[in-house]
Amino acid sequence: MTDPLVKISGLSVRYGSNTVLDHVDFRIDRGEIVTIVGPNGSGKSTLLRAVIGGISPSEGRITHAAGLRIGYVPQKLVLDPTLPMTVARFLSLPRRASAARIADALDRAGVPGLQTRQMAALSGGQFQRALLARALLDSPDLLILDEATAGLDQPGAAAFYRRIEEVRSETGCAVLMVSHDLHVVMSASDRVICLNGHVCCEGTPQVVAEAPVYRALFGEGTQGTLALYQHHHDHDHGPHAKPAEEAH
Amino acid sequence: MLDDFMTRATLAGVGTALAAAPLGCFVVWRRMAYFGDATAHAAILGVALSLAFSMPIFVGAMIVALVMAAAVTLLTGRGYAMDTLLGVMAHSALAFGLVAVSFLSGVRIDLMAYLFGDILSVSHVDLAVIWGGALLVVALVAWRWSALLTATLNPDLARAAGIEPRREQLILTLALAVVVAVAIKVVGVLLITAMLIVPAATARPFARTPEAMAAFAVALAMVAAWIGLQTSYQFDTPTGPTIVCVVAVMFAVSSIASTLRRVG
């Protein structure tokens, strides 16, 4: 087994008296697609931020593989209307990229020819693709997406995730994502982590979808698709309900 | 050539414009206008301290501006909203500064000169300070340009690219303190924010990239400084406010032009 790209052990994050993450273990290997699911406020975004290195943990260790290159697609990027920005310029931040590499990244993100458009003038789908293109520019080992399809409709989101899978098979990068589009995301994932302050359960999409704790969180619907917005946040279960399949 | 007071005043105005305009773009993009105000208003306290301890005005103003900026940064997120906090700090600092100045006996101070600037009395030393400060700020902003822009777009995006957003924030704060100290002589503490944000806002509708906006803002601010100076000489009006009036008119014209262009 090769070294993981990112390994987190015993991570706890507290803001004041509020514990957001409680002893979370996590790892991601090269080429893997891992999805984190969980209700609002379950610490999904905090975990992603910890992986990026934007959080100092209250407890625990975060280890990156040497020379790890991360491509990050943020949840939402609000561009201040006073900031003029073409797509090409945006892709050149913070390091200048050649016109050829910009064109290639836009191609791979599925939006060729967008270079001279203003970021503010893009549609929601185009904007997310531009963010994806920027993340792909440096040929990352690990692509991180934080609810990257939040503003997209279902077909748009599905197309976006198909693109992500293609990108993975083209470049071999690992993908770590958080999403609300459960059924889409889970079918595209190698491994799913169900999070609610701690890791509730973990494994292949099938294993997680059938796990009692997952059903307790997301309801009994097929693959938990429709029950997404009606789940109960407060639940109680002990370690006995943890069928976490060992990551391969 | 520098013996002519109008020449010195022009150079002082152009130097201030050079420092303030590019930094002003970040103030606009990051919505820090009130932060600029607080730093600038605090500088009057620095002026009082400088006079009391016979230090150069530049040094005192800069130290107090830095302390102010650090205090605001530290207090942020501790219960009060940012604008409340800045409102408290800005006006308290201004009030304490004005009171402190009144204690200085023996020194006849023209308070108006520090509140609204006194560009016509710029000395050779002032000119050296203004241009030294301006070049420092331009160098700092140019050096960190990409990192500053990335951090301005999104802190997490910056972190993923190995940039520490808090460090970039600190650099902006430092640059802001230098600009405040530099601009006191030219436009005074009450109008510094105008020199920061009005040229940047005026340039916005005509720029397609951040670099173009900054360059255009610098050009506008320099032209405004020159026109303002000539106008104030012609009509015997206070120079600092006249320069700000010119940038304000430019802003109005730019806004109308961009609205017409969008409608038409």
Side-chain angles (χ1 to χ4, degrees):
Chain A
M1 189 187 284
T2 55
D3 285 340
L5 287 174
V6 177
K7 186 173 192 317
I8 288 178
S9 41
L11 173 74
S12 295
V13 176
R14 291 181 203 96
Y15 298 119
S17 60
N18 183 21
T19 301
V20 183
L21 290 177
D22 186 23
H23 292 95
V24 170
D25 293 324
F26 167 86
R27 65 176 282 160
I28 184 163
D29 292 307
R30 269 173 212 286
E32 240 190 330
I33 297 188
V34 176
T35 299
I36 303 172
V37 300
N40 289 329
S42 60
K44 303 186 296 282
S45 292
T46 307
L47 181 56
L48 283 196
R49 218 164 279 152
V51 171
I52 293 166
I55 272 179
S56 38
S58 311
E59 258 177 67
R61 286 179 81 82
I62 302 166
T63 323
H64 282 183
L68 175 72
R69 282 196 306 272
I70 293 179
Y72 175 65
V73 181
Q75 182 170 25
K76 212 165 71 187
L77 194 117
V78 184
L79 210 64
D80 197 285
T82 60
L83 179 56
M85 185 72 76
T86 59
V87 172
R89 184 71 192 89
F90 178 71
L91 262 57
S92 268
L93 277 175
R95 278 169 286 279
R96 198 159 284 282
S98 69
R101 282 180 59 216
I102 290 174
D104 179 52
L106 285 171
D107 265 351
R108 274 193 285 157
V111 277
L114 227 52
Q115 285 91 331
T116 59
R117 299 276 297 278
Q118 282 286 312
M119 289 295 286
L122 300 181
S123 72
Q126 288 172 326
F127 196 96
Q128 288 312 110
R129 300 290 180 112
L131 289 177
L132 176 61
R134 186 185 170 282
L136 292 174
L137 206 57
D138 275 337
S139 316
D141 310 305
L142 174 59
L143 189 61
I144 296 182
L145 303 109
D146 188 359
E147 300 196 22
T149 57
L152 305 185
D153 56 15
Q154 288 245 331
F160 189 84
Y161 288 120
R162 268 201 305 278
R163 200 79 268 273
I164 298 288
E165 261 189 295
E166 286 162 23
V167 165
R168 192 259 307 246
S169 48
E170 285 162 24
T171 66
C173 68
V175 180
L176 173 62
M177 53 192 171
V178 156
S179 181
H180 270 151
D181 306 299
L182 276 190
H183 60 302
V184 185
V185 149
M186 287 179 68
S187 62
S189 307
D190 300 321
R191 190 152 60 88
V192 176
I193 296 172
C194 180
L195 193 72
N196 193 15
H198 57 279
V199 177
C200 297
C201 57
E202 176 175 4
T204 61
Q206 287 73 25
V207 168
V208 169
E210 282 157 23
V213 281
Y214 175 82
R215 291 181 170 232
L217 274 178
F218 292 102
E220 300 287 335
T222 44
Q223 303 249 314
T225 318
L226 299 170
L228 183 56
Y229 299 101
Q230 294 122 38
H231 62 253
H232 296 285
H233 285 209
D234 299 314
H235 66 293
D236 189 33
H237 58 74
H240 62 274
K242 192 177 182 179
E245 185 202 64
E246 204 48 51
H248 38 273
Chain B
M1 157 189 132
L2 293 182
D3 290 336
D4 174 33
F5 78 96
M6 275 302 275
T7 309
R8 287 201 303 272
T10 307
L11 284 174
V14 168
T16 305
L18 178 65
L23 191 62
C25 289
F26 282 103
V27 172
V28 168
W29 295 333
R30 299 169 72 105
R31 311 195 168 192
M32 290 167 66
Y34 219 171
F35 188 79
D37 244 4
T39 313
H41 287 181
I44 199 75
L45 188 59
V47 169
L49 293 174
S50 303
L51 292 170
F53 296 105
S54 345
M55 284 188 298
I57 302 289
F58 177 79
V59 175
M62 185 150 158
I63 290 172
V64 175
L66 277 177
V67 169
M68 181 62 152
V72 170
T73 309
L74 280 177
L75 286 171
T76 306
R78 306 221 172 152
Y80 291 106
M82 186 71 165
D83 62 336
T84 306
L85 195 64
L86 286 172
V88 170
M89 304 280 282
H91 298 101
S92 317
L94 184 59
F96 275 109
L98 293 174
V99 169
V101 168
S102 77
F103 277 122
L104 297 171
S105 54
V107 196
R108 208 181 68 81
I109 310 164
D110 184 4
L111 197 56
M112 289 292 278
Y114 297 111
L115 291 178
F116 298 107
D118 190 9
I119 194 174
L120 297 181
S121 73
V122 164
S123 68
H124 287 88
V125 175
D126 291 333
L127 207 52
V129 166
I130 288 171
W131 274 88
L135 292 177
L136 179 70
V137 167
V138 168
L140 203 59
V141 170
W143 172 49
R144 302 303 304 168
W145 183 261
S146 281
L148 282 169
L149 263 182
T150 311
T152 299
L153 275 175
N154 181 292
D156 286 327
L157 210 61
R159 279 191 201 99
I163 295 162
E164 176 50 57
R166 271 170 305 191
R167 191 171 99 119
E168 305 309 320
Q169 167 83 40
L170 185 69
I171 286 169
L172 278 184
T173 306
L174 273 172
L176 199 59
V178 175
V179 165
V180 166
V182 157
I184 282 188
K185 194 78 188 178
V186 177
V187 286
V189 297
L190 293 183
L191 293 174
I192 288 171
T193 313
M195 285 308 284
L196 284 168
I197 64 173
V198 184
T202 307
R204 170 61 188 103
F206 307 102
R208 287 182 53 79
T209 60
E211 292 76 17
M213 180 163 154
F216 198 26
V218 169
L220 283 171
M222 284 179 171
V223 170
W226 186 76
I227 295 177
L229 198 60
Q230 297 298 322
T231 311
S232 101
Y233 187 67
Q234 209 75 41
F235 297 99
D236 194 24
T237 50
T239 311
T242 308
I243 293 175
V244 174
C245 287
V246 174
V247 288
V249 170
M250 285 176 165
F251 174 75
V253 171
S254 144
S255 302
I256 293 168
S258 75
T259 310
L260 286 180
R261 200 173 53 168
R262 222 174 302 138
V263 174

